[in-house]
């Protein structure tokens, strides 16, 4: 719908209501329909309930124009304004849930508008007014008219009114009973034996001992002259060394380069021992 520069500025900001309906400049035509000097005065009258919504007084069948494929019948509040129309006309909303305040215009394109007294005035249109919805071949609404008389509005879509925004409900402070319960956390402790037994004694030259840094700590690998790893075990710490109980006999394995081959065949793998003492 067409509207003046002042109206466009107000609509682009969402909504504004400066006039009081008691002081609104209102015009009434010979059919009892009313119009207001400004969009703001019209909206204020709708808001406070003093507005008299427009009532058609003629009858005329729908007439499609170029580009209009079908015509449907709806209540104004059931129509969704295409977003492109909202953007191009700076409309304050895309729906008619609160009705419209339309700029009155006269006869055009073979269809009537409002009476001469209301041309140039803003006319309150009820949200439940029956309207003709002209649609393109894709089913998109392209134009509205008053259903009874097929009278056109000031533009292809009347200017909507922004619906009331409901105030958010007050948040109540609710006192909650709270209790504190102890949390039991289970822990696993490793208890070392008070003494360690000697399983075997391994004789090996220092140059055949390799230290390996692992995620579980230092490990010791012993290699023979062929660079084969013959045993791997944990490096004994001071706690292990200080708590060795020698109360029995134990085998001695010689892994030195000059040891006999039979002795080396008796060397252990990584599963045979755990701690290794390096002096």
């Amino acid at each position: 719908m067409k509207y003046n520069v002042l109206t466009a500025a107000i609509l682009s900001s969402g909504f504004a209501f400066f006039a009081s309906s008691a002081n609104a400049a209102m015009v009434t035509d010979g059919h009892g329909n009313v119009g207001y000097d400004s969009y703001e005065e019209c909206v204020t009258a709708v808001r406070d309930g003093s507005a008299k919504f427009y009532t058609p007084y003629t009858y005329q069948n729908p007439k499609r124009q170029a580009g209009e494929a079908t015509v449907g019948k709806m209540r104004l509040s059931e129509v969704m304004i295409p977003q492109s129309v909202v953007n191009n006309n700076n409309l304050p909303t895309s729906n008619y849930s609160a009705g419209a305040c339309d700029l009155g215009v006269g006869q055009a394109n073979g269809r009537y508008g409002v009476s001469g007294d209301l041309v140039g005035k803003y006319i309150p249109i009820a949200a439940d007014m029956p309207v003709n919805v002209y649609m393109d071949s894709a089913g998109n609404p392209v134009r509205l008219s008053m259903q009874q008389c097929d009278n056109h509005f000031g533009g292809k879509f009347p200017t909507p009114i922004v619906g009331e925004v409901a105030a958010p409900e007050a948040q109540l402070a609710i006192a909650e009973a709270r209790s504190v319960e102890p949390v039991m956390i289970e822990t696993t402790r490793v208890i070392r034996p008070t003494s360690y037994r000697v399983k075997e004694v391994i004789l090996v030259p220092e140059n055949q001992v390799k230290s390996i840094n692992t995620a579980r700590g230092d490990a010791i690998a012993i290699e023979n002259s062929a660079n084969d790893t013959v045993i791997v075990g944990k490096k004994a710490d001071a706690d292990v060394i200080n708590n060795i109980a020698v109360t029995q006999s134990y085998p001695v394995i010689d892994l030195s380069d000059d040891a006999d081959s039979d002795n080396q065949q008796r060397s252990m793998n990584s599963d045979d021992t755990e701690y290794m003492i390096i002096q």
Side-chain angles (χ1 to χ4, degrees):
M1 123 172 295
K2 298 179 181 177
Y3 43 87
N4 58 34
V5 175
L6 175 61
T7 303
I10 292 172
L11 292 181
S12 65
S13 65
F15 57 87
F17 310 110
F18 303 120
S20 167
S21 60
N23 299 321
M26 186 179 70
V27 175
T28 304
D29 69 2
H31 303 281
N33 290 314
V34 302
Y36 298 87
D37 284 348
S38 69
Y39 172 83
E40 298 77 32
E41 290 173 325
C42 177
V43 169
T44 301
V46 172
R47 292 282 194 193
D48 64 22
S50 64
K52 180 183 183 299
F53 293 114
Y54 188 86
T55 301
Y57 52 88
T58 60
Y59 293 84
Q60 197 163 210
N61 292 327
K63 180 181 179 181
R64 287 179 290 129
Q65 298 178 2
E68 297 172 349
T70 59
V71 56
K73 297 181 183 298
M74 299 182 184
R75 299 286 180 182
L76 183 62
S77 60
E78 298 172 336
V79 177
M80 288 297 296
I81 308 172
Q83 192 59 46
S84 58
V85 176
V86 174
N87 296 340
N88 292 338
N89 294 278
N90 293 321
L91 299 181
T93 181
S94 61
N95 66 77
Y96 292 104
S97 60
C101 274
D102 188 52
L103 179 63
V105 293
Q107 183 177 353
N109 297 322
R111 286 295 183 265
Y112 293 109
V114 296
S115 62
D117 293 333
L118 301 183
V119 173
K121 304 296 182 179
Y122 286 86
I123 318 299
I125 307 295
D128 62 353
M129 171 184 271
V131 293
N132 293 320
V133 183
Y134 292 91
M135 292 171 279
D136 60 19
S137 57
N140 301 311
V142 295
R143 182 171 66 91
L144 303 182
S145 70
M146 301 180 191
Q147 189 177 121
Q148 175 181 306
C149 54
D150 201 39
N151 285 8
H152 60 84
F153 293 106
K156 292 186 176 182
F157 294 85
T159 303
I161 298 172
V162 175
E164 292 279 5
V165 179
E169 294 184 4
Q171 299 295 316
L172 300 179
I174 301 176
E176 297 181 353
R178 298 188 180 186
S179 61
V180 179
E181 297 181 358
V183 178
M184 303 302 294
I185 301 176
E186 294 185 359
T187 59
T188 302
R189 296 184 180 181
V190 178
I191 302 177
R192 294 178 178 269
T194 57
S195 62
Y196 296 85
R197 290 191 311 108
V198 176
K199 182 177 181 181
E200 292 174 318
V201 173
I202 303 173
L203 301 178
V204 59
E206 185 177 356
N207 61 359
Q208 289 178 227
V209 179
K210 304 295 182 182
S211 178
I212 304 172
N213 189 10
T214 70
R216 298 179 59 187
D218 288 339
I220 298 299
I222 298 175
E223 298 177 349
N224 59 18
S225 57
N227 292 325
D228 296 322
T229 300
V230 295
I231 184 170
V232 175
K234 296 180 184 177
K235 183 177 180 180
D237 56 21
D239 184 68
V240 174
I241 295 173
N242 294 333
N243 289 282
I244 295 176
V246 183
T247 59
Q248 78 289 330
S249 61
Y250 43 82
V252 176
I253 298 175
D254 186 0
L255 295 180
S256 60
D257 291 340
D258 57 354
D260 59 78
S261 58
D262 290 338
N263 192 28
Q264 291 210 25
Q265 292 297 325
R266 293 173 57 248
S267 63
M268 298 178 294
N269 59 33
S270 60
D271 295 329
D272 288 329
T273 190
E274 183 176 11
Y275 292 105
M276 301 181 67
I277 301 173
I278 303 300
Q279 295 290 352

